[in-house]
Amino acid sequence: MSKIIRLPESEIPRAGEVLAGSFFHDPICVYMFPDEGERARLLPWHFTAFVRYGHLFGEVYSTAGRTDGVAVWLPPGEVEMSPDRVAQAGLDRAPEVLGTEPWERFNGVMGYLEQYHLQDVSPWHWYLPLIGVDASQQGRGLGAALLEPILKRAEAEGLPCYLETVEPGNLPFYTRRGFKVITQGLEPRSGIRFWTFRRDPVQGDEARP
């Protein structure tokens, strides 16, 4: 298995391509871009900008050598995306590049999910907004390996980890790694089903083998 490293800045575009491929059939991305051609053309820009944000203001992990998997984490106290930081990452250009309507659809779903983010986990936590593995490398344990650095650190720090998913097939992957479903429901405008997950640090007697 490939070694897991912090993503080099030079690999940000490749990381965006990996995520665009792994999220191509994701319900939110399909809702943003119903046309497959438009989705294929614009998702790499979308995800590259979010990887750049994570590289600037969080921690991004990838596979050494060729980037075949990516995990973007935002650290405790740094989850809110301020306008200044959005501009630094280039995300302020999203309406222009992606189109106003797709960007509004994306923000509508994410804005709805944000209310659960605020209620389902304490403010001081690690947040996983994105993780993906190239289709050619899936099933080899890369996803679990990409999570490991921050899961270990959060455990040592006594902090929870949090994420959302809209893919029902992801549920077993996260539950096997100590995450528990906190909220599940439907985003009303898009009809997209979602699940929020929290992984709490093991404490006391639970930590004993």
Side-chain angles (χ1 to χ4, degrees):
M1 183 187 298
S2 300
K3 180 181 178 183
I4 303 302
I5 62 169
R6 292 283 291 272
L7 180 77
E9 185 176 3
S10 61
E11 286 292 295
I12 291 175
R14 165 63 185 167
E17 292 174 1
V18 169
L19 290 171
S22 62
F23 278 82
F24 188 77
H25 297 291
D26 179 89
I28 295 177
C29 293
V30 173
Y31 179 59
M32 287 176 69
F33 303 112
D35 179 79
E36 289 194 355
E38 188 176 41
R39 202 183 320 148
R41 182 172 61 87
L42 293 172
L43 281 185
W45 187 95
H46 174 83
F47 284 107
T48 296
F50 276 102
V51 173
R52 187 178 300 111
Y53 186 97
H55 197 273
L56 287 168
F57 306 113
E59 297 190 15
V60 184
Y61 290 87
S62 66
T63 50
R66 178 180 168 87
T67 298
D68 287 322
V70 188
V72 179
W73 290 91
L74 296 181
E78 304 292 341
V79 171
E80 184 176 350
M81 298 175 68
S82 69
D84 179 63
R85 289 186 169 189
V86 166
Q88 288 185 59
L91 277 164
D92 58 331
R93 295 184 57 228
E96 169 194 346
V97 176
L98 303 178
T100 301
E101 290 185 13
W103 187 240
E104 287 179 350
R105 287 195 287 266
F106 173 77
N107 280 321
V109 175
M110 298 310 297
Y112 186 83
L113 296 181
E114 180 64 16
Q115 64 182 310
Y116 298 102
H117 191 162
L118 295 173
Q119 76 179 28
D120 288 350
V121 68
S122 61
W124 209 251
H125 64 278
W126 283 93
Y127 174 45
L128 179 74
L130 290 169
I131 183 172
V133 174
D134 187 84
S136 67
Q137 301 299 315
Q138 290 178 7
R140 300 178 55 202
L142 289 184
L146 288 163
L147 291 177
E148 198 63 21
I150 296 301
L151 294 189
K152 284 185 176 179
R153 191 190 309 181
E155 193 69 48
E157 296 169 343
L159 294 175
C161 297
Y162 180 84
L163 62 92
E164 310 102 342
T165 187
V166 295
E167 286 281 9
N170 290 340
L171 272 64
F173 173 79
Y174 291 120
T175 55
R176 285 197 300 269
R177 281 147 193 93
F179 287 89
K180 295 181 179 179
V181 174
I182 306 301
T183 298
Q184 57 181 306
L186 288 175
E187 195 282 317
R189 188 168 182 181
S190 66
I192 292 172
R193 183 170 294 280
F194 68 89
W195 294 262
T196 72
F197 280 88
R198 189 180 70 229
R199 184 183 191 272
D200 294 319
V202 179
Q203 296 178 348
D205 291 340
E206 297 178 49
R208 297 173 186 169

